[in-house]
Amino acid sequence: QLQLVESGGGLVQPGGSLRLSCAASGFTLDYYAIGWFRQAPGKEREGVSCISRSGGRTNYADSVKGRFTISRDNAKNTVALQMNSLKPEDTARYFCAAVSGPCSLGNKYDYWGRGTQVTVSS
């Protein structure tokens, strides 16, 4: 069974940091670009960041540039999203997804996890 499982979410104060992890089971992430997406209540899902299969290319939404960093460890079959200087507007459910095509912040991904909640509040 092909699965993506996110972890690392939680409640953090503004200005704080969280590190999200996306782990794959049932398949190897080496052959996939990985994206992170988020969806806040009442809002559409938006692309946050993505990383190419090799890790050599990354892309970020303007709203998170300079604050979030995506990375991957193909040996461990995981992808991480380091989130620093968090703001209340970063509050959302965060999902990772895998696509056999290029890194993209669009929604056309092949596999999706169920997400992990991130809440930024004082």
Side-chain angles (χ1 to χ4, degrees):
Q1 187 177 1
L2 307 180
Q3 279 189 319
L4 290 171
V5 179
E6 303 91 339
S7 62
L11 173 64
V12 64
Q13 292 187 341
S17 298
L18 283 174
R19 185 177 179 85
L20 304 184
S21 182
C22 174
S25 63
F27 68 108
T28 303
L29 286 181
D30 299 35
Y31 302 109
Y32 296 88
I34 303 299
W36 281 98
F37 296 80
R38 66 186 182 187
Q39 188 167 20
K43 294 187 177 181
E44 292 187 356
R45 186 167 58 192
E46 63 171 336
V48 174
S49 182
C50 66
I51 188 167
S52 63
R53 287 180 293 178
S54 68
R57 179 173 175 265
T58 58
N59 196 9
Y60 296 91
D62 288 343
S63 57
V64 306
K65 278 181 182 176
R67 300 188 298 122
F68 291 11
T69 303
I70 192 170
S71 61
R72 67 189 299 158
D73 186 337
N74 286 342
K76 294 183 179 180
N77 220 25
T78 59
V79 173
L81 184 69
Q82 178 67 42
M83 306 187 297
N84 299 328
S85 302
L86 283 162
K87 305 175 181 180
E89 51 263 44
D90 294 318
T91 295
R93 191 164 186 84
Y94 284 71
F95 303 84
C96 67
V99 64
S100 57
C103 166
S104 167
L105 297 184
N107 280 320
K108 293 184 179 179
Y109 276 64
D110 300 316
Y111 304 106
W112 291 83
R114 294 186 176 184
T116 184
Q117 180 66 34
V118 171
T119 303
V120 184
S121 175
S122 55

